[in-house]
Amino acid sequence: MKIIIVGCGRVGRTLAEELNKEDNEVTVIDRRYAVVEEISNKYDVMGVAGNGASYKTQMEAGIEKADILIAVTGSDELNLLCCLIAKRAGNCQTIARVRNPEYSAEIDFVKESLGLAMTINPEYAAAREIAKVLRFPSAIKINTFAKGKVEMLKFRVPSESKLSDMLVMNIAPQLGADVLVCAVERGGNIYIPKGDFRLHEKDLVSILAEPRKASYFFKKIGIDTHQVKDTMIVGGGETAYYLAKLLLPMGIGVKLVERDEQRCEILSELLPKAQIIHADGAEQSVLIEEGVGQAEAFVALTDIDEENVMLSLFARSQTDGKIATKINRMDFDQIIRELDLDTTVYPKKITAQHILQFVRGKKNSIGCNVETMYRILDEKAEALEFVVNKNSELSGILLEDLQIKENTIVACIIRGRNIIIPRGKDTMRVGDSVVIVTTTLGLKDIHDVIRVKQ
C-alpha cells in the first residue's frame, strides 16, 4: 500500500519504520528538511520537506495515488486539516492523531464530519492500558479481544507457586481452570508452549481466558485479583487527566501531584473528585509526605522518561503496591526492561499498533480479516484476532487436521456469546473470531500460519 505520514516526531518515526518493514510504500512529510532527510535515509522511505496541510506538498508526495494518509504532527488542528485536504485531493483513507480532551469529547462528530477512517489519541490509549492493570494489579499487562469478552494477562510466576514445575497440560485438570497458557518468557527466550512445557518460578507467563475465569485461575494459584483502592499519580499532563477520568468512576481514589500551579487549578476544575496536590513530585520528601508508602498503586506520568524511571524505582522501595511507568523514548528499551519496573506503557507503541492493525486489515483479501493486533513479548511475537469469512478454507476443519506453523497457537475461538478454549476436536466456523499467538511477525491473514494439510 502507498502510505503518506505527515509529521516526523516520535510517533511518525515509529510508523515509518514499522510500515516500511511490512512492505508498504511509505512517504513522510515534515517542514524540517534535515529530519526528513534523516528518516528517509535511516528507514529507506521517500521524503518531502514542506507543509503537510498544503495541497502542493501533498501532490508532491503523491496523494493522488495514496491509499492512506496518517497525520501525526503536534497540532490536532493541523492533523485534521491535512486529512481534509487529502480526502479532497486524493480521496484516500485518512487517520488523524487527536489529543486535546475538548476534541476527544466530540470525536465521533469530528470523525464523521471529516470522513476520517480512524482517530488515535496516544495519551488516552496509554491511560486505558494503565487503568486495565490497576483493575487487575497482579497482571503486568492486559490485552483485550472480542470487545472485552476475552483477555490476555501477563504475570510473573511467584515463588513457591502451585504453577512451579507444573506441565501446561496439567493446569486445567489440576486447578479446574479454563485458561490457556499461550506464551512464556524465560531468561530472554520466548516460548509458545505445548502441553509438555514445564513452568518455573519467575517465568513471565501470558494466559488467555474470559475475565471471570481468569480471576478464578488467579485465586486458585493464590494471587490477589482485587482492583486497587487508591493510586498516586505524579505528573498532571493529558495522560494523567484521562487516567483519573477512568479511575474515579471505578471507585479508585486519585491523588495527583503536579508542580505547575496553573495546571493544578485546571485539573481541580476538571477533576473535582480527585485530590490535586501542588508540589514537585520528583522530591522524595514530597512523595513520603503524601503517603507513597501507603498507596496501593503509583503511576509516574511526567514528560521526562528518566524522571519517571527514578520515581518508579523509589516508589518500589517504599511500597509493595502496583507500579506503572510511562516511557516515551525507545532508545533504552532493553535497559528499562531489565529494571523490572512492573508495568511500563509506551504511548507511541500503542499508537503504532492501532494503525498497523488498520493497515493490515485493509491489505487482507483472502478470507480472515485482522480485527485486533498486539505486539507482545518484547515485540518478538504478536497476538491477533481474525474474523473467519466465507472465503476461508479453514472453516469446519478439525484443528488437529490443520497444518499450524511452528511457534503458533490457536488460543481462543469466540462464537457468538460462547468462548472456546480450543482443543484438537474443535473447529473454526464462518463468523467466528479467532485469536492466535505467533512469533511470525507481520501477519495479514490467518492463512499465513494455518493451512489445510495436503
Side-chain angles (χ1 to χ4, degrees), residues 259-278:
R259 63 167 61 98
D260 184 87
E261 184 175 3
Q262 186 175 0
R263 181 61 179 169
C264 285
E265 292 176 357
I266 294 172
L267 290 170
S268 294
E269 294 179 6
L270 295 173
L271 303 167
K273 294 184 179 180
Q275 186 177 357
I276 309 299
I277 308 297
H278 175 221

Side-chain angles (χ1 to χ4, degrees), residues 336-398:
I336 289 171
R337 284 200 297 269
E338 293 173 359
L339 292 175
D340 191 21
L341 291 174
D342 201 350
T343 292
T344 53
V345 175
Y346 295 81
K348 72 174 184 178
K349 265 190 188 180
I350 299 168
T351 301
Q353 285 185 5
H354 281 285
I355 294 174
L356 284 171
Q357 172 192 322
F358 177 87
V359 172
R360 285 194 199 171
K362 294 301 174 186
K363 291 175 76 171
N364 171 69
S365 61
I366 302 174
C368 295
N369 292 329
V370 179
E371 294 291 309
T372 311
M373 186 206 81
Y374 298 103
R375 287 279 175 86
I376 61 172
L377 312 181
D378 296 334
E379 306 281 298
K380 296 175 183 176
E382 291 181 346
L384 304 102
E385 177 187 352
F386 295 92
V387 172
V388 181
N389 294 335
K390 61 182 180 180
N391 297 325
S392 175
E393 62 177 6
L394 306 179
S395 178
I397 300 177
L398 298 178

